[in-house]
């Protein structure tokens, strides 16, 4: 996102009298440095150019053609004044319309180091900022200004607030260790600004290389975008993707279903061409050799110079998964699994490659498959009648029998919002009739909980727990003490991180005997 107000046309002091630079030309050099870095390290990245002053303009929409952005930079027209809040609102609109609220994004704010107003105006801008955004985002600020100028010191609180507010945006990975930052140049020169941008690229756009292995077959691959470290805030556990991704088995895609993916990554194999390392983007459309044709065991120099003729495990795996309609289950790290599938880009280029979907950490990321750490090859003795997924639990989920807390009840089908609302209202009706409806309350809670876990709708349990807390706070003074205890117990059980995703766990009422308690006192 580039800044094109009138202040960007100010000349930059320089000892070189043969060439005159303005802050805008220095900022353009920084943006070109950013594009050059992407061309070498992350050429699959999509980039958009947005210019702003008191209004914003999408100069170039999201594209992988970086030359289009380079050619547009000199054509940007000067504006009037600085309005960062309007600029961020425009960027939010662009990202949401192009990618939705599930795709992480990074925003680089290139500005002249001023906020254009005093302390009162700065507070107004902070209040007007459209942050946190409704999608995962990191904002990096690159001020084109000398580090000793007074205007930068006045604007730093605003820049820091922008970075902090963006870091509190919802993150699908339950928190990551990386966040945005402010990259101030050491000096207001082209080399100084280029060095600051290079530092930003090296820290925020790193490549991630690892080994994809299946038995004795392996390949060196790059994951794009680079995976982030995942933090489970409830348990305080950190999960880091290993440098070796191990294929542990295969499943039919209809059996795997669509477990929640906290992130998705393209798997790009490494190819050695003429001693240099390069990556192969399109390896799924390789034309196989005709049946019966003979090939020499030793590849010719001409074959070795062509990446498409070098044997690679990724090509074999991609073709097998695509033909058989299967997915490969992979181990990403300790207590962390993912799935590899064949993927084809929905564009005219029709690029094909492997797609890695990283599931939620934990063995119960796909409840219908059972614990992922207990998956194994099918039993040969029962090959004639193999079990199909989902795995049937040892608990009975039948709605028949007594209406106790352990009873499963009928399954939930939430095709429309009113169906979900009706199930939640049923829980609240039982909560208001405690203690007579204690068993009915826990029966409905268990039914709602199992459905939410199966669908990956864990947010529902948090909301229901909050609703039970509100019911507890609004109890009349004449209510039995058991009502408050049971509501608090149920709300805490729904939020317990130890059983949050355990579909086999059953919530039970809090045992209490108030008659004996009153006699004792």
């Amino acid at each position: 996102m580039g800044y094109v107000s009138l202040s960007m046309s100010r000349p930059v002091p320089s000892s070189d009298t043969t060439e005159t630079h303005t802050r805008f030309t220095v900022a353009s050099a920084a943006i070109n440095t950013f594009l050059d870095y992407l061309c070498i390290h992350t050429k699959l990245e999509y980039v958009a150019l947005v210019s702003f002053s008191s209004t914003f303009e999408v100069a170039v929409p999201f594209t992988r053609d970086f030359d289009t952005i380079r050619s547009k930079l000199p054509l940007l027209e000067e504006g009037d004044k600085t309005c960062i809040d309007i600029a961020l609102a425009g960027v939010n609109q662009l990202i949401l319309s192009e990618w939705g609220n599930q795709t992480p994004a990074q925003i680089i704010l290139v500005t002249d180091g001023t906020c254009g107003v005093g302390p009162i105006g700065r507070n107004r801008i902070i209040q007007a900022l459209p942050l946190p955004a409704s999608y995962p985002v990191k904002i990096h600020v690159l001020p084109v200004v000398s580090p000793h100028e007074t205007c930068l010191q006045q604007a730093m609180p605003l820049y820091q607030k922008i970075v902090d507010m963006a870091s509190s945006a919802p993150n699908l990975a339950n928190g990551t260790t990386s966040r945005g930052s402010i990259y101030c140049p050491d000096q207001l020169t082209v080399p100084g600004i280029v060095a600051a941008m290079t530092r930003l690229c090296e820290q925020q756009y790193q490549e991630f290389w690892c080994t994809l292995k299946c038995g004795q077959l392996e390949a060196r691959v790059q994951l794009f975008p680079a995976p982030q470290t995942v933090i489970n805030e409830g348990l305080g556990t950190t999960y880091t993707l290993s440098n070796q991704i191990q294929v542990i088995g295969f499943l039919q895609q209809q059996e795997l279903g669509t477990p929640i993916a906290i992130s998705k990554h393209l798997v790009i194999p490494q190819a050695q061409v003429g001693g240099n390392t390069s990556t192969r983007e399109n390896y799924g459309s390789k034309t196989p050799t005709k049946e019966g044709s003979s090939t020499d065991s030793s590849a010719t120099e001409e074959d070795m110079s062509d990446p498409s003729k070098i044997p690679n495990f990724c090509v074999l795996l991609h073709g097998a998964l695509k033909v058989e309609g299967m997915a490969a289950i992979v181990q990403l790290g300790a207590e962390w699994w993912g799935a590899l599938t064949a993927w084809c880009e929905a564009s005219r280029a029709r690029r094909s490659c492997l797609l890695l979907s990283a599931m939620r950490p934990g063995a119960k990321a796909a409840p219908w498959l059972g614990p992922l750490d207990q998956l194994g090859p099918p039993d040969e003795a029962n090959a004639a009648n193999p079990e199909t997924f989902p795995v049937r639990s040892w608990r009975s989920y039948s709605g028949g029998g007594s209406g106790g807390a352990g009873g499963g009840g009928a399954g939930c089908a939430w095709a429309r919002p009113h169906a979900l609302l009706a199930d939640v209202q049923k829980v609240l009706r039982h909560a208001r009739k405690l203690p007579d409806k204690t068993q009915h309350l826990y029966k409905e809670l268990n039914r709602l909980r199992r459905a939410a876990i199966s669908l990956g709708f864990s947010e529902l349990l948090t909301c229901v727990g909050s609703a039970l807390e509100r019911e507890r706070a609004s109890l009349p003074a004449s209510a039995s003490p058991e009502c408050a205890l049971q509501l608090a117990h149920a709300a805490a059980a729904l939020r317990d991180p130890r059983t949050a995703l355990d579909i086999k766990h059953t919530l039970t009422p809090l045992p209490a005997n108030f008659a004996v308690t009153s006699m004792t006192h």
Side-chain angles (χ1 to χ4, degrees):
M1 184 167 60
Y3 179 32
V4 292
S5 72
L6 285 174
S7 58
M8 289 292 280
S9 62
R10 290 180 295 170
V12 173
S14 174
S15 58
D16 186 2
T17 58
T18 60
E19 187 175 5
T20 303
H21 291 287
T22 64
R23 296 175 189 260
F24 179 77
T25 59
V26 173
S28 298
I31 296 175
N32 281 313
T33 300
F34 171 70
L35 298 177
D36 292 339
Y37 185 91
L38 295 186
C39 285
I40 299 173
H41 300 280
T42 55
K43 58 183 178 181
L44 296 182
E45 191 76 59
Y46 282 95
V47 182
L49 177 64
V50 177
S51 61
F52 72 96
S53 54
S54 61
T55 60
F56 77 94
E57 176 189 0
V58 180
V60 180
F62 281 102
T63 179
R64 285 176 175 167
D65 185 4
F66 303 147
D67 290 335
T68 303
I69 300 179
R70 289 192 182 93
S71 61
K72 185 66 177 179
L73 277 175
L75 305 179
L76 295 179
E77 298 181 356
E78 296 176 351
D80 42 16
K81 62 178 182 178
T82 308
C83 290
I84 296 179
D85 51 339
I86 294 178
L88 291 177
V91 172
N92 287 346
Q93 178 182 344
L94 173 65
I95 293 176
L96 290 173
S97 62
E98 182 75 21
W99 304 106
N101 61 356
Q102 303 294 314
T103 304
Q106 297 194 64
I107 300 173
I108 301 178
L109 175 62
V110 182
T111 176
D112 69 341
T114 64
C115 53
V117 293
I120 297 178
R122 185 168 60 244
N123 293 333
R124 180 194 61 79
I125 294 176
I126 292 176
Q127 294 175 359
L129 288 174
L131 296 173
S134 59
Y135 56 92
V137 63
K138 293 188 292 185
I139 297 182
H140 316 295
V141 181
L142 179 66
V144 184
V145 63
S146 172
H148 307 295
E149 290 192 24
T150 306
C151 62
L152 177 61
Q153 307 305 322
Q154 296 174 349
M156 283 296 288
L158 172 62
Y159 297 154
Q160 191 62 53
K161 189 67 176 179
I162 291 174
V163 171
D164 294 340
M165 292 178 68
S167 300
S168 62
N171 196 307
L172 302 180
N174 297 326
T176 60
T177 57
S178 60
R179 52 177 294 168
S181 187
I182 303 172
Y183 295 87
C184 295
D186 296 332
Q187 53 184 348
L188 184 54
T189 60
V190 172
I193 298 296
V194 168
M197 177 61 81
T198 302
R199 189 168 65 252
L200 184 155
C201 294
E202 291 176 347
Q203 293 180 4
Q204 304 296 335
Y205 293 87
Q206 295 178 347
E207 298 178 347
F208 184 88
W209 291 89
C210 59
T211 301
L212 176 62
K213 189 172 183 180
C214 179
Q216 299 298 321
L217 300 175
E218 64 179 49
R220 186 72 174 165
V221 297
Q222 178 188 2
L223 300 187
F224 176 83
Q228 301 290 334
T229 299
V230 179
I231 300 176
N232 188 322
E233 296 180 353
L235 300 177
T237 308
T238 301
Y239 300 90
T240 303
L241 198 141
S242 172
N243 290 327
Q244 178 172 294
I245 300 177
Q246 180 75 43
V247 177
I248 61 175
F250 301 90
L251 283 176
Q252 293 290 335
Q253 285 193 357
Q254 60 266 29
E255 293 178 345
L256 175 63
T258 55
I260 294 179
I262 59 176
S263 62
K264 294 187 177 182
H265 312 270
L266 299 181
V267 181
I268 307 169
Q270 172 181 296
Q272 298 291 337
V273 183
N276 296 324
T277 301
S278 62
T279 57
R280 232 183 299 178
E281 296 178 35
N282 184 14
Y283 55 85
S285 59
K286 179 182 177 183
T287 305
T289 58
K290 294 182 179 180
E291 185 178 357
S293 61
S294 60
T295 57
D296 190 2
S297 59
S298 60
T300 63
E301 293 183 1
E302 181 180 356
D303 291 340
M304 294 303 294
S305 64
D306 186 356
S308 64
K309 296 181 180 180
I310 302 176
N312 193 286
F313 168 56
C314 289
V315 179
L316 172 65
L317 182 60
H318 177 277
L321 296 179
K322 183 177 181 180
V323 172
E324 298 296 332
M326 301 186 77
I329 306 299
V330 296
Q331 182 94 35
L332 302 179
E335 294 295 317
W336 194 8
W337 288 266
L340 278 175
T341 54
W343 175 85
C344 184
E345 188 179 55
S347 65
R348 296 179 62 182
R350 303 294 292 177
R351 293 184 178 90
S352 300
C353 65
L354 290 171
L355 179 67
L356 172 63
S357 300
M359 304 180 195
R360 285 177 172 174
K364 297 166 185 171
W368 55 92
L369 297 179
L372 296 178
D373 56 352
Q374 298 180 19
L375 289 177
D379 189 358
E380 295 182 359
N382 298 325
N385 186 24
E387 292 188 4
T388 57
F389 293 99
V391 176
R392 185 175 179 81
S393 171
W394 61 271
R395 281 189 172 88
S396 172
Y397 295 147
S398 170
S402 62
C412 298
W414 298 323
R416 296 289 186 272
H418 69 268
L420 174 59
L421 180 61
D423 284 338
V424 175
Q425 288 176 338
K426 186 183 297 185
V427 170
L428 297 180
R429 283 199 302 271
H430 292 324
R432 291 165 188 156
K433 296 180 181 179
L434 292 177
D436 297 336
K437 295 292 185 178
T438 299
Q439 297 295 333
H440 294 80
L441 170 64
Y442 282 88
K443 176 183 177 181
E444 290 300 323
L445 283 177
N446 282 311
R447 187 174 73 95
L448 200 70
R449 181 178 174 277
R450 281 192 295 271
I453 294 175
S454 298
L455 299 174
F457 193 10
S458 58
E459 295 83 358
L460 174 63
L461 304 181
T462 302
C463 294
V464 173
S466 300
L468 294 178
E469 289 286 0
R470 289 194 295 270
E471 290 294 329
R472 175 176 173 269
S474 61
L475 285 173
S478 59
S480 170
E482 183 179 357
C483 299
L485 291 175
Q486 292 291 358
L487 290 175
H489 172 68
L494 289 174
R495 299 168 177 169
D496 190 348
R498 296 170 297 179
T499 58
L501 297 178
D502 187 358
I503 198 170
K504 293 182 179 180
H505 180 74
T506 300
L507 306 183
T508 56
L510 180 69
N513 191 333
F514 295 95
V516 174
T517 303
S518 60
M519 290 174 60
T520 303
H521 289 281

